[in-house]
Amino acid sequence: MRERRVEATETVDDRLHAVMPIRGMTCATCAGRVEKALQALPGVEASVNLSSEQADLVFDPAHVQPKTLVEAVSRAGYDVDRETRELAISGMTCASCAGRLERALLAVPGVTRAEVNLASEKAAVEGVAGLLRPADLIAAVHRAGYDAELRTGDVERDRQILATEEKRLKQETWRVLAAVVLSAPLLLPMAGIEMPAWLQLVLATPVQFILGARFYIGAWKALRASTGNMDVLVVLGTSTAYFYSLYMLLAGHAGGHLYFEASAVVITLILVGKWLEARAKRATTSAIRALMALRPENAHVIRHDAEITVPINAVSPGDVVIVRPGEKFPVDGVVLDGHSTVDESLLTGESQPLTKQAGDCVVGGSVNGSGLLHIRTTRVGEQSTLSRIIALVETAQGKKAPVQRLVDRVAAVFVPIVIVIALMAFSGWWLIAGNLTAGIVAAVAVMVVACPCSLGLATPTALMVGTGAAARAGILIRDPEALELAHKLDTVVLDKTGTMTEGKPAVTEVLTTGMPEDELLALAAAAQTGSEHPLAHAVLVKATGLKLDRVEDFQSHPGMGLTARVAGRRIAIGNRRLLEEMRVPTDSLEAQVVALEECGRTVMWVAILEPQGHLAGAIAVADPIRETAKAAVRQLQRLGIDTVMLTGDHQRTAAAVAAQLGIETVVASVLPGQKAEEVRRLQSEGRIVAMVGDGVNDAPALAAANVGIAMGGGSDVAMQTAGITLMRPDPLLVGDAITVSRATRNKIRQGLFWAFFYNVIGMPLAAFGLLNPMISGAAMALSSVSVVSNALLLRRWHPPTKGGG
C-alpha cells in the first residue's frame, strides 16, 4: 500500500484545513462521489482531485470528527490511508503516566490508535493520513505534563536522541551522588550519634525541594490533569514526614523524634532506584543500539572515475561503492568485482562468515573480511535491510502485549486505592489507637512503599529484552502478540518447498514417449521462459545451450502448471491434475513416474495439446532437503509440538520427503488458495497453529495462522504478513523462536508476580506499622529495579541449538 504523508497545514478561523489522500478512485465520477459524500457532512468544505488522489478539506473538528470523514469516504466505496508517527517521551515515572498519555493522544483529532511504552519511553500513534500532525501530538503530550520529540527514522536524529539520553543519565548520576552525601549524615542518630535538629533541617531541605523537585513537578502536572501517579504518592508521603518534623521543630518539640531522615532518605532511595532503573532500561535497548552502531557514517563512492568519500545519506541506488577489508558495508548491494568473506552475524545470527564474489548480494551493516569489493548499490536509507530490521524491532518493542491491557486497567485505579489505604491507616492509628504520630508514619510508609512503576515495567521490559535477544539470534518479531502466542503453540505447519527443502531444485531425469530428450527440454524451457518458479528455473538451467523458440499465448493455472504455444504447438506442463483437466492420459509413463515420486522426486508432466493431444514426457526434479530440517523437526517434537507438512506436490513425493524428516502428518496436492483453509481446519480442532512458509502463495496461510513465521530469503510479502521473520533460511530457528517466546513469557509472569507481591505484601505491612518509611522507600526502589533486572536475565538467552538457552 502506498503511504503518502500529507500534513494538515493551517487553521481557518476555528476550522481545520487538511489534505487527505483517497485510494480507489478511477475516474471523474469517483471524485465527484467522494466530494459529494464529504460535503454532505455538516460544515465540511471539500474539493477532490482525481489526478493527485487527494481531498482538500476545511472542517470544524468540534462538529465533525476525522473518523466521520473516513466513514463518509468508506461508505462512498473508497479508502483513506493510515500513517504512523513515533514520539520519544520524557518525564514518565509509572504505568499511570503511560495511561494518561495514551488518553491524551487518543483525544487528538485524526488519531485512531495510541500505544505508550513506559520501558522504552516511546509512543506509537496511528491515524488518518493528512490529519495526523506531529505538532498536535507534541502539544497533547505537553498538555499532559510531559515532553516529546518526533522520531523520524533519520540516522543522525536518532543518534542525537541517544546522545541526549546519555547526557540525561549522567546528570541523574550527579543528582543521586548529591542526595546520598546529604542524606547519609541523617542516619547517624540511628547509630546513637546525636545530631542537632537544625542541622537535620539544613541537610534534609535541599534533598526534599531541590533534588526532589522532579517529584513535585510531576505531581503538579498529574494533579492538573486530574489524575495521580507515583510522583503524587512520593510527594504526599515525604512532604507529610518533612512538614510534620518542621512543625515539631518550630513548636519546640525537637526533643521528640523527628522524621527529617525519613523524608530525605526516602527521596534518596527512590532517586537511586530510578537511576538504577534507567541504567537497566537502557540495557533493554542494547540490541537496537548494537544494530544502530552497524550503520557507518560514510561511504567510499566512485564518481566521475574517481573515488570520493561521502556521507551515507548521499549514496543513491546504482552508485558503485568500494568496501575495504574490515569495513562495514554502508548499503545493500550486489558485488561487481572482488572476492571476500562477510560476517553477517549481527544481522542474521549466522556465526560463520559467508563467501561473496561477483553477482552475490551483500547487506549493509555486515562486516567485510580480507578482500576488496566493489558493489553496486541496490537499497539505501529506510529501504535498506538494516533499517527495516531496526524498524521491525522498534515497532515490536513499542507495541503492547495483550497481557499489558489488564495491567493498564489496574494501574488506572492504583493511586486512588493507595491514598484510600493510607487514609485508613492514618485514621486507624489516630482514632482507634490514639497515636497521631504512628498514624502519620503508617500513612507515609503506605504511600512510599506502593509502586505502580513495577507494574508498568514488568511486561514491556521483558518484551524488549526478549525481542532483542531474538534479533541477535536472527529472529525478528514484528508483533508482541505473536511472541506472546508462540509459547502456546501445539501445531506447526511446515511448507515443503523452500522451507524444509533448499528451494533450489535440479532436473534429475527426463522421460519421453518417443521425442528426443533435448527437444522435450527445449519445449518445456521455452514455455517457462521468464517464470520465477523454482521448478521452471531448474528446467531452464538444464536446457542451457539449447535453442529456445518464442513463447505465445501463455496461461498460468495456479497450483497445477501452465499452458502455452511454442513453435506452433500448444503444450501443457504441470502436475496430474492439469493433465486430467486437459484429458491427456498418463498411462505410458505412470509406472516410471510413481517410482520416481516414491524416491521423493517432483515430476512435471509435459503434454502436446495441439494439433493432437498426447503425452510427450515427464521431467523429474529433486529439491535437496535442508541440512538442519531433520534436526528442526526433532526439536519441535521435543517441545511437544505436532508437525504437519503442507505441499502442492503429489502424495507419494510428499510422503517420501516426510519420511526422511520424521514428519507423520502430510497434506499433499494442496492448491495455493487451500493452504489457508488447511490452517483454519486445524484451528477448528482447537489447535494453536503456526504456519512456516517463504513464498507469496504462503501469505494467506501466514495471515490465517495464530502465528505466521516467514523463512529468511523468502518474499517480502511473506515477511510483511508474518508476525515472526527468520533472518536466515534455517528451519532450526522455528523451534528457537518458540523457546525465546516461552522464556519471555516466563519473565513477564515473574515480573508481574513480583510487582503484585511487593504491593500486596508491602502496603498491609506498612499500614499496620511494621515498615518504617525508610524501609518502605527501599522496598519501592527495589521493586522496580528487581523487575527490570529479572527481565535483563533474558539477555543471556541463546538458541538451544547453539548451546545455552
Side-chain angles (χ1 to χ4, degrees), residues 92-103 116 118 146 222 226-233 400 403-419 450-460 752 755-756 759 763:
M92 293 190 296
T93 57
C94 64
S96 58
C97 295
R100 181 161 86 251
L101 260 178
E102 285 184 358
R103 291 190 294 273
V116 178
L118 174 64
Y146 307 94
S226 302
T227 186
N229 63 0
M230 184 207 76
D231 295 321
V232 172
L233 297 177
K400 286 191 175 181
V403 69
Q404 184 68 22
R405 313 290 177 189
L406 172 62
V407 176
D408 289 346
R409 288 196 291 272
V410 173
V413 296
F414 187 87
V415 174
I417 289 174
V418 171
I419 293 174
C451 188
C453 312
S454 55
L455 285 174
L457 290 170
T459 300
L752 290 175
F756 280 105
N759 289 294
M763 282 192 284

Side-chain angles (χ1 to χ4, degrees), residues 86-90 92 98 101-102 105 115-125 151 161-162 165 285 288 292 390 393-395 397-399 464:
E86 189 175 88
L87 303 174
I89 308 292
S90 58
M92 293 190 296
L101 260 178
E102 285 184 358
L105 289 168
E115 290 188 350
V116 178
N117 189 311
L118 174 64
S120 63
E121 296 185 308
K122 292 176 186 174
V125 185
R151 291 182 68 96
I161 291 174
L162 289 174
E165 291 173 356
T285 60
I288 283 289
M292 286 182 172
I390 292 173
V393 177
E394 283 191 320
T395 299
Q397 292 186 343
K399 287 183 178 179
M464 290 172 69

Side-chain angles (χ1 to χ4, degrees), residues 619-772:
I619 301 173
V621 173
D623 189 1
I625 292 173
R626 290 193 186 277
E627 185 180 346
T628 58
K630 190 172 182 178
V633 173
R634 284 200 304 267
Q635 181 191 17
L636 290 171
Q637 291 169 346
R638 284 196 302 269
L639 291 171
I641 294 172
D642 293 334
T643 53
V644 177
M645 193 173 78
L646 202 61
T647 179
D649 275 341
H650 190 272
Q651 181 67 40
R652 278 187 292 269
T653 302
V657 173
Q660 295 178 59
L661 294 173
I663 298 175
E664 294 182 3
T665 307
V666 179
V667 182
S669 302
V670 178
L671 295 175
Q674 295 175 330
K675 290 185 177 182
E677 292 176 16
E678 182 60 28
V679 168
R680 284 190 283 267
R681 185 189 67 78
L682 291 168
Q683 290 170 328
S684 69
E685 297 175 359
R687 301 195 193 194
I688 309 297
V689 181
M691 172 69 195
V692 186
D694 73 320
V696 173
N697 59 11
D698 296 324
L702 290 169
N706 299 94
V707 178
I709 302 177
M711 183 71 74
S715 71
D716 284 349
V717 174
M719 293 173 68
Q720 290 302 316
T721 305
I724 298 175
T725 296
L726 310 180
M727 284 305 294
R728 62 182 190 274
D730 184 353
L732 279 172
L733 288 179
V734 177
D736 293 343
I738 294 170
T739 59
V740 76
S741 167
R742 292 180 177 180
T744 303
R745 175 68 177 182
N746 286 338
K747 289 301 176 189
I748 290 174
R749 293 174 64 182
Q750 292 167 13
L752 290 175
F753 169 79
W754 285 114
F756 280 105
F757 176 83
Y758 276 113
N759 289 294
V760 171
I761 299 298
M763 282 192 284
L765 290 176
F768 285 106
L770 299 176
L771 291 179
N772 69 43

Side-chain angles (χ1 to χ4, degrees), residues 492-742:
V492 171
V493 177
L494 301 158
D495 178 54
K496 181 180 80 71
T497 305
T499 301
M500 304 308 286
T501 63
E502 295 283 353
K504 299 175 182 177
V507 173
T508 55
E509 288 90 10
V510 178
L511 309 177
T512 73
T513 57
M515 180 184 293
E517 280 190 18
D518 283 355
E519 186 179 349
L520 182 72
L521 274 173
L523 273 177
Q528 297 179 95
T529 302
S531 173
E532 296 181 358
H533 195 285
L535 296 181
H537 180 72
V539 174
L540 287 165
V541 169
K542 184 69 174 177
T544 300
L546 298 179
K547 182 179 179 298
L548 304 183
D549 291 309
R550 184 181 171 203
V551 63
E552 299 174 335
D553 193 21
F554 178 92
Q555 187 176 357
S556 175
H557 300 263
M560 294 188 289
L562 61 90
T563 55
R565 189 175 298 279
V566 178
R569 290 182 286 187
R570 186 163 175 260
I571 65 172
I573 304 172
N575 55 25
R576 277 186 178 78
R577 187 176 299 178
L578 179 65
L579 265 64
E580 286 171 4
E581 278 204 5
M582 301 300 169
R583 297 181 180 178
V584 176
T586 60
D587 299 348
S588 57
L589 294 178
E590 192 66 41
Q592 293 168 273
V593 168
V594 167
L596 290 170
E597 288 175 337
E598 288 177 346
C599 293
R601 302 288 195 269
T602 298
V603 177
M604 293 176 283
W605 298 88
V606 183
I608 297 176
L609 304 178
E610 293 177 2
Q612 186 178 354
H614 66 278
L615 181 67
I619 301 173
V621 173
D623 189 1
I625 292 173
R626 290 193 186 277
E627 185 180 346
T628 58
K630 190 172 182 178
V633 173
R634 284 200 304 267
Q635 181 191 17
L636 290 171
Q637 291 169 346
R638 284 196 302 269
L639 291 171
I641 294 172
D642 293 334
T643 53
V644 177
M645 193 173 78
L646 202 61
T647 179
D649 275 341
H650 190 272
Q651 181 67 40
R652 278 187 292 269
T653 302
V657 173
Q660 295 178 59
L661 294 173
I663 298 175
E664 294 182 3
T665 307
V666 179
V667 182
S669 302
V670 178
L671 295 175
Q674 295 175 330
K675 290 185 177 182
E677 292 176 16
E678 182 60 28
V679 168
R680 284 190 283 267
R681 185 189 67 78
L682 291 168
Q683 290 170 328
S684 69
E685 297 175 359
R687 301 195 193 194
I688 309 297
V689 181
M691 172 69 195
V692 186
D694 73 320
V696 173
N697 59 11
D698 296 324
L702 290 169
N706 299 94
V707 178
I709 302 177
M711 183 71 74
S715 71
D716 284 349
V717 174
M719 293 173 68
Q720 290 302 316
T721 305
I724 298 175
T725 296
L726 310 180
M727 284 305 294
R728 62 182 190 274
D730 184 353
L732 279 172
L733 288 179
V734 177
D736 293 343
I738 294 170
T739 59
V740 76
S741 167
R742 292 180 177 180

Side-chain angles (χ1 to χ4, degrees), residues 370-392:
S370 58
L372 177 71
L373 295 178
H374 288 65
I375 63 171
R376 184 175 298 282
T377 303
T378 54
R379 289 191 291 197
V380 296
E382 292 183 2
Q383 299 304 313
S384 69
T385 300
L386 177 58
S387 293
R388 291 165 70 198
I389 291 172
I390 292 173
L392 282 172

Side-chain angles (χ1 to χ4, degrees), residues 238 261-274 276 444-445 447-451 758 771-786:
T238 59
E261 89 284 353
S263 66
V265 171
V266 164
I267 283 181
T268 299
L269 287 170
I270 294 172
L271 286 174
V272 170
K274 285 292 175 187
L276 292 171
V444 171
M447 287 185 285
V448 170
V449 79
C451 188
Y758 276 113
L771 291 179
N772 69 43
M774 286 185 291
I775 295 176
S776 295
M780 178 195 184
L782 182 63
S783 65
S784 293
V785 175
S786 62

